[in-house]
Amino acid sequence: MVRMSKPRVVLVGPPGAGKTTIGHRLASTLNIPFIDTDQLIEKEYGKACGDVFSELGEATFRDVEREAISLALSNHGIVSVGGGAVTTQATRDLFAGHTVVWLDVSDEAGFARTSAEGTRPVLEAENPKEHYAKLLATRRDWYRDVSMYRVRTDDKRPTAIVGEILEIIWG
């Protein structure tokens, strides 16, 4: 595995924005490593990230997530972080000095993508669609604050999104 001093791109955004899919494709296109911090957590705990979140509670989970992000930011070419990573200031501070791209998705498209998977903690709310919309409303300013660039993912094929990101990093 290639070791880099910092990632080429960090992908942030809500659940269902396409961070993992785009991260894999972008890394493959650039022939550099990819890491999804949720997958780091899953590997460490031996279970789905949503289960880890549920078992640890949000505060402890966010500490675990911050450690995974810190590790990923020091060792990988393309990094994708969990949708809620931006909720803590200490984690937001880790993004300083990195090329951060916010993959933005509408409430409707994001909810449709996450509900199709059925594996997200956001879906455990009494009214999952309303909960998802509130989540996005709460986090949008944080995504905007940590990112240098914003790419909308609604109604776009992954190849088009990767193309937009390549234009950003190659200027």
Side-chain angles (χ1 to χ4, degrees), residues 92 140-147:
R92 290 193 302 271
R140 277 197 175 102
D141 286 342
W142 289 323
Y143 294 133
R144 186 177 296 111
D145 289 346
V146 301
S147 61

Side-chain angles (χ1 to χ4, degrees), residues 40-171:
L40 282 178
I41 294 167
E42 290 173 355
K43 184 176 179 181
E44 180 179 341
Y45 284 84
K47 58 185 80 174
C49 210
D51 292 338
V52 177
F53 181 94
S54 295
E55 289 177 16
L56 297 179
E58 185 167 8
T60 302
F61 178 83
R62 295 299 174 206
D63 290 340
V64 167
E65 181 178 54
R66 186 178 61 251
E67 290 175 25
I69 290 169
S70 180
L71 174 66
L73 291 176
S74 66
N75 292 306
H76 294 88
I78 303 295
V79 174
S80 169
V81 302
V86 297
T87 61
T88 59
Q89 184 64 52
T91 301
R92 290 193 302 271
D93 291 344
L94 293 175
F95 299 127
H98 294 283
T99 301
V100 180
V101 176
W102 168 23
L103 296 184
D104 191 14
V105 66
S106 69
D107 297 357
E108 283 82 31
F111 177 74
R113 292 174 188 172
T114 57
S115 63
E117 295 171 13
T119 59
R120 309 278 184 142
V122 70
L123 301 175
E124 296 173 10
E126 188 173 315
N127 183 335
K129 189 172 187 175
E130 182 180 301
H131 181 70
Y132 186 88
K134 286 180 182 176
L135 230 149
L136 262 63
T138 302
R139 295 177 181 175
R140 277 197 175 102
D141 286 342
W142 289 323
Y143 294 133
R144 186 177 296 111
D145 289 346
V146 301
S147 61
M148 300 170 70
Y149 306 98
R150 175 181 170 210
V151 175
R152 294 287 301 193
T153 63
D154 289 25
D155 303 321
K156 291 182 186 172
R157 293 186 176 277
T159 52
I161 298 165
V162 168
E164 285 186 50
I165 295 170
L166 290 173
E167 286 181 30
I168 288 168
I169 62 176
W170 286 337

